[in-house]
Amino acid sequence: MPIVLIVAEQQPDGNLRKATLNAISAGKQLAEKAGAELHLVLLSKDPSKVSGELAGLGAKAVHTAAAPEFEHYLAETYAPAIAELAKSIGANYVGMASTAQGKDLLPRVAARLQAAMATDVMGFNGGGADVTFSRPMWAGNVFAEVKLTTPVKVFTLRATEFPAAAGGQGAAEVKTFSPKVETGKTKFVDFKEVKSARPELTEARVVVSGGRGTKGDFKEIEALADELGAAVGASRAVCDAGWVPNDLQVGQTGKVVAPQLYIAAGISGAIQHLAGMKSSKTIVAINKDAEAPIFQVADYGLVDDLFKVLPALREAIHKAKG
Amino acid sequence: MKILVTAKRVEDPESKIKVKPDGSGIVQEGLKYKINPFDEIGVEEGLRLVAKHGGEVVVVSIGGKEVQEQLRHALAMGATRAVWVNHTGPLDQMGVAGLLQKVAEKEKPDLVILGKQAIDDDQNQVGQYLAEFLGWGQATFASKVESLESEQEKNKVPALQMGADNKSVRVVREVDNGLATLECALPAVVTTDLRLNLPRYASLPGIMKAKSKPIEELTPAKLSVDVTPKVQVLKMASPPPRKAGIKVPDVATLVEKLRNEAKVV
C-alpha cells in the first residue's frame, strides 16, 4: 500500500506546532484519495513529549528518532534523516506544513530523494496514482493544478486550507528509528523568540491589522485586538517603515492568514497584502479613502478615519458582549 | 569573495495577472517584466559583501534572450559579469537547481545568493535544492548576512592564510515567532528575505558601463543537464471571487452586522 509521510514540527517550547495538526488532516485527505496509509515522523532531542499526542491523531504509524543533534533544527541535519526514513518505509508522498521550517527543509529532502515538489498545497484532485495538487501562484492570483511526475512526491501544505486533526483517534504504533546523523557545514548560533501575550498570527480566530493609515500608531489596533482576543497584523509598508516588527507582516512575502474575522484598518489593499488575507471568512475594511482596493474584497466596509472608528468599535463590541 | 547571484525575469509585482480563458497560462499582453524583487535584494547583498571584503559578483539568469535585460540590470547595479543560460520552454525547480549547480561548479563561488522565492511561481525551493545538489550549507530567508572573514586574515602572507574551511558567514534568518542565527562554512547557499536590504538604483554611468560588460552564453546541453520538467502545470484558474460586500454607514451598523449576520463577534 502506498504511504503518505507527514513531518511533524515541535516549537521551541517542545509542544507541537499547531500547523502540524492541519498538515496531518491534509495527509489524511491525500491518503484517502491515493488509497494510501498515513504515517508521521518526528525528529527531536526528546520525542517522548509529543509522541503520545501524535499517536492519537489517526495515523497508521508514528516514526520518531531521538538525537542530541536534533535539538536545534538545521536543514542539513534533518533532511538526510527524513529522506532515509522515507526510503526505508517506501513513502510515496512526503509532506509538511508550510511553516518556515517546512519551507526550508522539504526542498532539501526532495533534492535528496530526486523528487519533484509543490509548495503551499491547498487541496488534492484525482485519485489513485494520479493525484494532482492545487496550489497558488502569482501571489494567489492564480490557482494552478500541478502534477508531480517523480516516483516520490514532496509538498508543503497551506495550513489555513485544512482543519486541525483532532486527538483521541486510537493509538498508532510508535516506532523508533536511528538514522545516520549528518551534521553538515552549518552551526546553530541562537534563536531569539518574539514573545507575545496575543495569539499567534497564523493561528488566530480574529486578526486586526494596521497599515500606513495608522501612521505608525498601533495603540488603537492593539486595544481592539485585546478586546477581541485577536492577533495583530500589519501591511508591508508599516513593517518596512520599521513601525512594527517584521513578523507581523501579512501578505505574499509575509504570513498567510485565514481567520474567521480580519479587520483591516488604514490598509489600502495592495495585491501583495491581499495575497495574505483574501481567504479570511469575513473581512472588514476601515479606510478614509472610499476608492481603496481593500473595499473590493471587504464584506463590510466603513469609510472613515480609523482613529475615530477603532475606539468606537472597541466600545461597541465591549458593550454588545455585555 | 566571489559571489554568484541569480536574476530571474518575472512579471512586475504590481501587474494585474489574468488567467487565459482556456486555463493554459496567463495573459501576457500588457505585462511588464522585472528582475524578481528577492533576487534584486540578492544582487544588492552580493555587492555590499564584495565592497567590504573584495572580490566580484557574477550574475546568472536562465531563459530566452529577453533575460539579458535582467542581467544588464544587475550589471548596471554593479555586478562584474553575467552568465546567461539560454533556454526557452518549461522549466521546473529541479531543472533550475541542476543548471545552477553546474554553473556554480564551473565558477566556484564562495557564496551563491538567491531570492527566497520567485513572485511568479511562489515555490520557494531552488536555493534549498541547489544547496543539497552541491552538498553545501544553506541559510534561507536571510535578514542579515555577515562575512566572518576578518581584514586581518585577508592580509596575512599566503603561507599563514587560513584554509577555505575557516571562512564562514553568519546569517540571521526570519523564521516563525522570531529570528534564528546560523553560521555556514563557505561555500554556502543563502536565500534572501525582504528585509535584508534596500536595493540601489542603477546609476546612469552604471547603465552605460553595463553595456560593455561580458555576458557568457551557456545552454542546458553545454552544461549537460536534462531539464525535462518533473512538475507539470496542468491547468490554471482564477481564484473564486469573493461575494461583493457592502459599505456600512457607522460603527453601530458594523457591530450589528458582525454579531447577527456574520456571527463573528
Side-chain angles (χ1 to χ4, degrees):
Chain A
M1 197 179 211
I3 288 175
V4 175
L5 179 65
I6 298 291
V7 183
E9 178 181 348
Q10 267 178 314
Q11 296 175 159
D13 66 7
N15 290 318
L16 273 189
R17 196 172 280 290
K18 282 193 187 136
T20 293
L21 300 177
N22 307 85
I24 289 171
S25 72
K28 217 170 288 176
Q29 282 183 23
L30 172 60
E32 272 164 32
K33 284 210 189 286
E37 63 186 37
L38 177 66
H39 290 214
L40 308 179
V41 56
L42 177 74
L43 306 179
S44 174
K45 187 186 164 198
D46 178 14
S48 67
K49 267 187 181 171
V50 292
S51 56
E53 185 184 351
L54 286 171
L57 294 168
K60 180 85 180 163
V62 176
H63 306 268
T64 64
E69 291 85 351
F70 295 148
E71 180 178 8
H72 299 295
Y73 161 77
L74 282 173
E76 289 156 81
T77 316
Y78 273 46
I82 301 283
E84 189 186 316
L85 175 75
K87 269 188 208 158
S88 75
I89 63 171
N92 310 73
Y93 300 90
V94 181
M96 185 171 176
S98 289
T99 56
Q101 190 179 117
K103 286 182 176 175
D104 184 61
L105 173 61
L106 282 218
R108 192 140 188 154
V109 172
R112 269 238 161 185
L113 296 169
Q114 288 293 316
M117 178 172 168
T119 299
D120 259 345
V121 169
M122 304 182 297
F124 312 99
N125 300 307
D130 291 322
V131 169
T132 58
F133 301 81
S134 167
R135 62 173 303 271
M137 295 173 78
W138 284 281
N141 288 300
V142 175
F143 286 0
E145 192 180 331
V146 302
K147 185 178 168 184
L148 306 181
T149 63
T150 47
V152 184
K153 300 163 197 352
V154 176
F155 49 93
T156 58
L157 297 149
R158 181 169 277 199
T160 52
E161 300 293 326
F162 302 94
Q169 304 179 54
E173 190 187 349
V174 179
K175 303 176 182 183
T176 56
F177 71 107
S178 309
K180 181 170 162 273
V181 178
E182 295 182 24
T183 46
K185 293 165 182 149
T186 302
K187 279 192 309 211
F188 171 85
V189 179
D190 68 20
F191 172 69
K192 285 198 190 75
E193 192 173 3
V194 178
K195 285 216 189 258
S196 167
R198 300 195 182 91
E200 219 273 306
L201 192 49
T202 55
E203 294 165 359
R205 207 185 64 88
V206 181
V207 174
V208 184
S209 273
R212 220 192 292 262
T214 63
K215 300 187 179 68
D217 179 359
F218 262 55
K219 272 201 287 299
E220 286 302 335
I221 301 273
E222 288 171 2
L224 178 60
D226 290 340
E227 177 63 43
L228 289 164
V232 170
S235 68
R236 184 179 154 186
V238 306
C239 294
D240 283 357
W243 292 341
V244 298
N246 293 332
D247 60 323
L248 297 190
Q249 190 198 317
V250 172
Q252 182 187 20
T253 53
K255 288 177 175 154
V256 176
V257 301
Q260 294 290 304
L261 174 60
Y262 189 89
I263 301 178
I267 294 179
S268 66
I271 291 171
Q272 109 84 30
H273 185 76
L274 299 181
M277 45 65 77
K278 260 197 311 208
S279 309
S280 305
K281 191 162 166 279
T282 299
I283 298 173
V284 171
I286 299 157
N287 207 303
K288 274 199 289 202
D289 175 10
E291 303 304 316
I294 190 81
F295 287 116
Q296 290 164 19
V297 301
D299 299 279
Y300 306 110
L302 183 51
V303 182
D304 205 345
D305 182 1
L306 68 97
F307 290 103
K308 257 170 51 194
V309 172
L310 293 181
L313 183 57
R314 172 163 47 90
E315 253 172 63
I317 288 169
H318 188 77
K319 243 187 249 162
K321 286 201 294 196
Chain B
M1 284 185 114
K2 183 173 181 178
I3 300 176
L4 185 66
V5 297
T6 51
K8 184 177 183 181
R9 179 183 172 89
V10 297
E11 291 76 17
D12 186 311
E14 301 304 321
S15 330
K16 186 119 182 87
I17 302 294
K18 275 186 256 153
V19 178
K20 284 184 194 163
D22 67 357
S24 65
I26 61 161
V27 178
Q28 302 287 329
E29 284 85 52
L31 288 179
K32 278 192 227 150
Y33 295 87
K34 282 190 69 165
I35 177 171
N36 178 41
F38 291 103
D39 284 355
E40 193 173 24
I41 292 167
V43 176
E44 175 66 35
E45 195 61 21
L47 294 171
R48 288 184 191 195
L49 283 168
V50 158
K52 221 162 150 187
H53 303 282
E56 66 164 345
V57 172
V58 180
V59 58
V60 55
S61 190
I62 304 167
K65 66 172 184 296
E66 63 281 0
V67 303
Q68 291 189 29
E69 271 174 50
Q70 280 61 50
L71 291 173
R72 292 283 175 212
H73 176 86
L75 293 171
M77 284 173 74
T80 315
R81 58 194 171 82
V83 176
W84 165 38
V85 182
N86 186 352
H87 172 74
T88 47
L91 192 63
D92 66 8
Q93 286 61 45
M94 284 175 96
V96 173
L99 292 169
L100 292 177
Q101 179 194 355
K102 291 296 169 75
V103 173
E105 283 167 358
K106 201 164 155 287
E107 291 285 340
K108 299 186 176 50
D110 299 288
L111 201 59
V112 183
I113 309 181
L114 312 86
K116 74 164 179 181
Q117 75 193 65
I119 59 154
D120 50 3
D121 59 38
D122 282 332
Q123 286 273 40
N124 196 334
Q125 295 176 9
V126 172
Q128 295 90 312
Y129 267 100
L130 176 63
E132 175 64 29
F133 285 170
L134 288 165
W136 294 3
Q138 75 184 45
T140 54
F141 327 144
S143 63
K144 198 173 163 201
V145 181
E146 267 171 33
S147 170
L148 296 180
E149 180 193 25
S150 69
E151 291 303 309
Q152 217 184 345
E153 294 298 346
K154 277 202 311 186
N155 296 332
K156 279 182 183 168
V157 292
L160 290 174
Q161 216 156 26
M162 302 294 285
D165 291 351
N166 290 321
K167 289 208 252 161
S168 53
V169 283
R170 185 168 281 207
V171 180
V172 181
R173 308 177 52 229
E174 297 194 9
V175 298
D176 298 326
N177 307 79
L179 296 169
T181 304
L182 301 181
E183 211 172 287
C184 294
L186 298 181
V189 173
V190 170
T191 75
T192 64
D193 217 318
L194 205 62
R195 260 78 52 169
L196 181 57
N197 61 48
L198 195 63
R200 69 193 67 187
Y201 289 104
S203 65
L204 190 60
I207 294 167
M208 297 310 290
K209 238 195 257 171
K211 289 184 179 162
S212 57
K213 288 180 179 175
I215 296 182
E216 180 189 0
E217 183 183 343
L218 295 168
T219 60
K222 264 191 223 167
L223 293 168
S224 321
V225 180
D226 175 9
V227 292
T228 313
K230 314 285 194 302
V231 178
Q232 295 171 357
V233 177
L234 303 178
K235 215 173 113 192
M236 290 186 193
S238 299
R242 282 187 78 92
K243 202 167 82 298
I246 55 162
K247 285 204 175 123
V248 292
D250 50 39
V251 168
T253 318
L254 177 59
V255 173
E256 189 272 316
K257 295 277 185 201
L258 289 178
R259 277 186 82 80
N260 302 324
E261 205 173 85
K263 301 191 193 326
V264 284
V265 167

